[in-house]
Amino acid sequence: KLVVQIGDGVFKNMNFKQVVFPDSIKYIGERAYEGCVELKEIVMPPELKEIGAMCFLGCGQLQKVVLNSQLESFGIGALLLTSVSSIIIPESVKTLWDSFNRGSRVAVLGMETELGKYPPGSVTIYCLAGSKIQRGARRIDIEVEPLSRFENK
C-alpha cells in the first residue's frame, strides 16, 4: 500500500537532519515537522498537493525548501521561525498566506495566485507584471518587484 499522507504533528520535535519523502505523498499535515530543529533542507515529492499550516514552524536550521510544480496549497505559518529567506512558489499554488519570516524573498510564478485573508507581511514578492498577486500586494503595501529580479540565495 502506498503512503499518501503524513499526519498532523506526527514528527513534531524529532531530531531529523533530513527527510526523504516517498513520491506517493500528496499531503503533509499541520505541524507535521514543527520543531525539528536539525532539519536543513527539504525537497517536496512530485505528487504533493498540500502542505499543512505551520508544517515546519520552528525548524530553525531549515534553510532551503524546494517546492514541486503540482503543489496547490501552502499552509499559513508553514515556514515561520525557520532560516528560509527565499522561496519559489509554483504556478499551481492558488493562495499565498502569511507563511514566511519577515524579510523573506518570495517568487510567485503564477498569474492567478492570490493573497489569502492573512497575507504575508514584511516580505518582498517577486512576480509577473499584471498578475493577481501583484495587484493584491500593491493594494496593501507589500513590496513588489519584477520576477526577473529574483535571486534564490
Side-chain angles (χ1 to χ4, degrees):
K1 214 172 190 190
L2 292 177
V3 176
V4 295
Q5 75 174 35
I6 295 171
D8 295 350
V10 72
F11 296 117
K12 186 175 180 178
N13 297 319
M14 296 288 209
N15 289 325
F16 297 131
K17 291 189 188 225
Q18 76 175 55
V19 174
V20 178
F21 296 103
D23 287 350
S24 57
I25 296 292
K26 295 185 183 311
Y27 171 79
I28 301 174
E30 293 182 9
R31 299 180 184 265
Y33 293 92
E34 178 184 357
C36 293
V37 296
E38 301 291 319
L39 205 50
K40 294 185 191 289
E41 182 176 332
I42 296 281
V43 177
M44 297 302 168
E47 299 299 317
L48 186 68
K49 300 283 187 203
E50 183 176 348
I51 296 172
M54 296 172 276
C55 186
F56 299 102
L57 177 72
C59 295
Q61 292 189 44
L62 184 59
Q63 296 178 4
K64 184 175 180 181
V65 175
V66 179
L67 302 177
N68 64 314
S69 63
Q70 304 299 313
L71 188 68
E72 295 173 1
S73 178
F74 192 77
I76 192 166
L79 293 175
L80 289 176
L81 303 176
T82 68
S83 294
V84 175
S85 60
S86 65
I87 191 164
I88 299 171
I89 306 297
E91 186 175 2
S92 54
V93 171
K94 296 172 176 68
T95 307
L96 197 63
W97 300 94
D98 187 9
S99 302
F100 317 99
N101 294 317
R102 291 181 179 275
S104 293
R105 296 177 313 280
V106 182
V108 179
L109 303 183
M111 288 294 288
E112 300 299 315
T113 304
E114 297 181 288
L115 291 173
K117 182 176 179 180
Y118 303 103
S122 301
V123 301
T124 302
I125 294 177
Y126 295 81
C127 57
L128 297 167
S131 63
K132 286 184 178 180
I133 199 95
Q134 181 191 48
R135 292 189 303 269
R138 285 184 172 161
R139 253 192 322 272
I140 59 173
D141 292 325
I142 294 176
E143 186 178 349
V144 177
E145 294 284 341
L147 187 57
S148 60
R149 291 191 186 156
F150 180 75
E151 291 180 27
N152 196 9
K153 300 177 182 177

